[in-house]
Amino acid sequence: MSDKPVRVRFAPSPTGPLHMGGVRTALYNYLFAKKNNGTFIIRIEDTDQTRFVEGAQEYILDALKWCGIHATEGPGIGGNYGPYIQSERKELYKPFAEELVANDKAYYAFDTAEELDNVRAQAKAMGMPNWQYNTVTRMSLKNSLTLSADEVKRRLENGDQYVIRMKMPRNIDVRFEDIIRGWVVVNTNNLDDKVLFKSDGMPTYHLANIVDDHLMEISHVIRGEEWLPSAPLHVLLYDAFGWDCPKFAHLPLLLRPDGNGKLSKRDGDRLGFPVFPTDWLSAEGEKYTGYRESGYFPEAFVNMLAFLGWNPGTTQELFSIEELAEIFTLERVGKAGAKFDADKTKWFQQQYLRNTSNEDLADILSQKLNNKYDKDALVDVARLMKERATFVEDILTEGDYLLHRPENFDEQTVSKKWKSDSATLMSDWNDRLKSLTDFYPSTIEVAFKSFLEAKQLGIGAVLPLFRLLITGAGMGPSMFEIASFIGQEECVERMYEGLEKLKSHS
Ligand code: GLU
């Protein structure tokens, strides 16, 4: 690694909500910075005003906060390299574009959108569908390379609309080393004369990105693979300015679960899993579900994301963000697209739920239940149910009978297990329950076993009936624990009530 301090940035465009691929890019930047005692910066790239989406910037910043991906410099945080929103830096880009023109690395182009559309249409009619403004075609278009100096001056003074285009050199191999992909070589004959500065007085992404990465002293550009085709132009721009090029690392794509194509924003709701970190409601009223609102812990989401394209080289899978920051390297990021796995994502959430203390879960439950229940009771609810749950919400739905009397009885268990003599059997068992002098799980268990012996019945013939009457369910955690938790009085009453309700079944 070079001696330059590590400074990396996540540079989203506020053109919509942040896809989980974007969160992964932010995460890898964050981890890389932490690992290398560097600085993680957030920069908002909003120079394309036609694609601006109301609320997207707030969404992005809020989502990153929820994930625990905190920047050292950025909008709302500050830093010595601000402002961190490109539209607020608007004034500084033009001189850079003009510097390139003065050095013959770029030129003014006066062609109107309409004229270019015509040229494109003509080319298409002649069998060239991919017409480009490039080293060849530029010589027959309206720009400062073809017009006289006086004419260019007159047009500029006249306030004619223009853009500034990159003067792509002819037939040069642009080479750069990508940390993930190795050497990349692209011949400039395959590149067009990209617009660097637009007629609306704003820089394009390419110019603003390069200028800001330079001014913000970015050491490594870590971004999605979709930007790889832009990298040769960026390398040439650094060169044109005479600036050092940062190191590049282009991250692999996130693929659909079947590996068939890029994971897109529509896949989530179609295939039944979130694609966005938090809920997003588009201006058109389309709602996309987020991980946060689906009940995922941010720690589980981040842990899952870290593994989409990277691995630690060991079998360990559970890492806190701090632990990830200790071991993360770009060298362990793969080139191949990373397949999203919805089941694995749930597995991560389940692990994090299990590893959350019962006390902490009780706090969350308490909040969800508007502090209606005693904390100690909720600690027990968490203890009894968490092995069977993926989300906190599951504890409440699966374990509803711990807090309320069951209203319904599991149909399958009733039809399979409830026999003509079940009512008498359970009524006898209820008499035993009533007579117990304490109600610890072990006391109930001992009583239950002696009851089985007295009746000469196996556990499978009796326990499901007991469970059915107390919980309404066919399965669940230890019945002795459940009964003890509910308490003797409530248990006995539930048995009476259940027997009454199931009368008609015998
Ligand atoms: N603004 C670009 C984006 O929206 C950033 C690309 C880069 O990191 O250079 O992804």
Side-chain angles (χ1 to χ4, degrees), residues 418 423 426-427 469 495-503:
W418 198 262
M426 282 296 104
S427 174
L469 290 172
M495 294 282 286
Y496 276 135
E497 202 177 287
L499 282 167
E500 200 54 39
K501 285 189 179 162
L502 286 172
K503 240 187 198 159

Side-chain angles (χ1 to χ4, degrees), residues 339-372:
K339 262 192 256 175
F340 173 75
D341 183 339
D343 291 336
K344 190 75 195 188
T345 305
K346 279 201 176 140
W347 177 85
F348 274 109
Q349 167 59 25
Q350 212 169 26
Q351 300 307 309
Y352 274 84
L353 187 85
R354 285 181 192 177
N355 292 337
T356 305
S357 72
N358 298 329
E359 283 69 23
D360 287 349
L361 285 176
D363 285 334
I364 309 175
L365 291 173
S366 185
Q367 235 182 12
K368 282 184 176 283
L369 296 166
N370 300 324
N371 305 318
K372 253 191 356 224

Side-chain angles (χ1 to χ4, degrees), residues 9 11-13 43 45 205 209 213 221-223 226-227 234:
R9 84 305 190 268
S13 298
R43 182 175 73 222
E45 300 203 326
Y205 153 71
N209 187 271
D213 280 352
V221 168
I222 305 168
R223 61 185 173 192
E226 63 272 29
W227 299 104
H234 296 178

